[in-house]
């Protein structure tokens, strides 16, 4: 058993060093997926005057210990010979890594997180670029994206959609090759050679704290609160005519995306049910089948928290 653990630690260190070489700052993790080194300040008899992030010079400050320096990574693992995995700190230069954590749900009543992400992408008109994907032992997936250096992407759980957690500044991702109580994290086939891709701007806008959200750059979220509700294209949503026009003007490759987007705006603004028939008619006029159009509108209703 001890030998097995030692091998696991050696392997974890090798994986961690290889991540560090790619510019990803790492810390050793225990089988619990928690940082392997515990805080040197736990059980301190006197209350700390400040929260230490490693200023004391010792190890054990979680993600604040993270480093790309191979000597420091080796030292961290030497101090934690029980480590069987490693964590990759998010939000740090040069990559400013953002982890999109897609949970697997064992609940048929809810759409799974991959579907939720797809719907989010349709609704906000972005595509997830080819990037590193890590498979978790529970069947979930971590998508690795890079963020901008000038904005801090916070951690969030389920804010974007059920089952989608975001690992940002102060968070970490379990690195591929890590062993945990539940199994081993691996890179999805065909993605290990990829560099983490830049986060699409439309997705980034959803990840940043609300005050940073800006309207006017594409049909993102620009619905004001209490004031005039705009569809982001200069048309008032109030009677939905702009939304129907938006669908009618769709080229073949945009029909479904536009219908989804328009239906989302309609449901968000309380005119979803009233606009169902006009949107279906517009969708049929663009060449979508009734079945396709209904499925898309149903997705939009679900995505915006309505039950069609
Ligand atoms: Zn300290």
């Amino acid at each position: 058993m001890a030998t097995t653990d030692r091998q696991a630690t050696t392997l974890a260190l090798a994986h961690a060093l290889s991540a560090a070489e790619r510019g990803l700052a790492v810390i050793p993790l225990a089988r619990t997926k928690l940082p392997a080194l515990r805080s040197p300040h736990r059980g301190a008899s006197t209350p700390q005057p400040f929260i230490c992030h490693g200023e004391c010079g010792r190890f054990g400050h979680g993600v604040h210990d993270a480093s790309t320096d191979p000597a420091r990574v080796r030292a961290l693992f030497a101090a934690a010979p029980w480590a069987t995995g490693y964590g990759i700190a998010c939000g740090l230069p040069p990559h400013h890594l953002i982890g999109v954590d897609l949970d697997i749900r064992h609940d048929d009543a809810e759409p799974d997180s991959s579907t939720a992400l797809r719907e989010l992408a349709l609704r906000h008109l972005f595509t997830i670029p080819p990037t590193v994907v890590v498979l978790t032992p529970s069947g979930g997936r971590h998508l690795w994206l890079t963020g901008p250096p000038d904005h801090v992407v916070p951690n969030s759980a389920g804010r974007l959609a059920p089952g989608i957690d975001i690992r940002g500044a102060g968070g970490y991702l379990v690195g591929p090759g890590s062993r945990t109580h539940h199994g081993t994290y691996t890179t999805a086939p065909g993605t290990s050679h990829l560099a983490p891709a830049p986060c699409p701007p439309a997705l980034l806008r959803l990840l940043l704290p609300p005050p940073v959200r800006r309207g006017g750059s594409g049909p993102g979220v620009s619905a004001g609160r209490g004031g005039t509700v705009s569809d982001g294209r200069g048309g008032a949503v109030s009677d939905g005519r702009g939304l129907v026009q938006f669908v009618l003007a769709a080229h073949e490759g945009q029909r479904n995306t536009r219908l989804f987007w328009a239906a989302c705006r309609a449901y968000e603004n309380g005119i979803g049910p009233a606009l169902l028939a006009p949107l279906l008619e517009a969708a049929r006029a663009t060449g979508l089948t009734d079945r396709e159009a209904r499925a898309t509108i149903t997705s939009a209703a679900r995505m915006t928290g309505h039950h069609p």
Side-chain angles (χ1 to χ4, degrees):
M1 198 64 198
T3 309
T4 310
D5 278 354
R6 206 153 45 235
Q7 282 171 348
T9 305
T10 308
L11 264 173
L13 172 60
H15 283 292
L17 286 170
S18 130
E21 206 167 86
R22 297 168 71 182
L24 299 165
V26 295
I27 50 166
L29 296 183
R31 282 191 189 274
T32 54
K33 302 192 284 182
L34 293 173
L37 291 165
R38 297 184 64 185
S39 169
H41 306 296
R42 85 198 122 94
S45 52
T46 50
Q48 273 185 263
F50 65 98
I51 302 293
C52 181
H53 290 157
E55 293 83 353
C56 67
R58 287 174 285 177
F59 291 155
H61 301 82
V63 80
H64 300 288
D65 290 350
S67 179
T68 55
D69 171 18
R72 184 171 162 93
V73 173
R74 286 179 190 280
L76 283 164
F77 274 81
W82 52 88
T84 57
Y86 64 104
I88 298 172
C90 296
L92 296 182
H95 298 296
H96 304 277
L97 197 64
I98 301 168
V100 179
D101 182 351
L102 301 172
D103 222 353
I104 189 81
R105 295 169 75 88
H106 304 283
D107 176 4
D108 292 339
E110 292 282 338
D112 71 26
S113 55
S114 298
T115 306
L117 182 64
R118 206 156 44 237
E119 290 182 347
L120 207 62
L122 274 171
R123 178 182 177 189
H124 293 280
L125 305 177
F126 64 83
T127 47
I128 297 287
T131 193
V132 180
V133 177
V134 174
L135 306 176
T136 78
S138 59
R141 290 185 301 148
H142 295 165
L143 314 182
W144 290 13
L145 299 171
T146 62
D150 53 342
H151 283 104
V152 174
V153 172
N155 291 296
S156 67
R159 189 170 69 82
L160 219 52
I164 304 182
D165 295 347
I166 298 299
R167 305 291 162 78
Y172 63 89
L173 288 161
V174 179
S178 295
R179 285 157 185 259
T180 71
H181 282 308
H182 301 287
T184 303
Y185 285 66
T186 58
T187 314
T191 72
S192 62
H193 68 285
L194 297 172
C199 181
L203 174 58
L204 190 63
R205 276 196 291 275
L206 299 175
L207 303 181
L208 294 173
V212 186
R213 271 191 197 175
R214 286 181 287 262
S217 45
V221 178
S222 62
R225 257 164 227 224
T228 309
V229 179
S230 157
D231 66 3
R233 294 184 169 255
V237 168
S238 56
D239 64 0
R241 267 182 304 185
L243 296 177
V244 172
Q245 282 304 321
F246 181 64
V247 173
L248 281 171
H251 301 300
E252 193 178 336
Q254 319 169 312
R255 295 182 307 204
N256 216 31
T257 313
R258 285 197 168 210
L259 175 63
F260 188 84
W261 185 82
C264 284
R265 299 292 86 74
Y267 278 101
E268 281 172 356
N269 291 288
I271 54 171
L275 220 55
L276 178 61
L279 282 178
L280 276 173
E281 197 180 321
R284 278 195 296 262
T286 66
L288 283 178
T289 68
D290 194 60
R291 186 193 168 93
E292 287 170 320
R294 281 183 189 278
T296 298
I297 294 174
T298 301
S299 280
R302 198 172 56 210
M303 187 75 205
T304 52
H306 295 83
H307 295 279

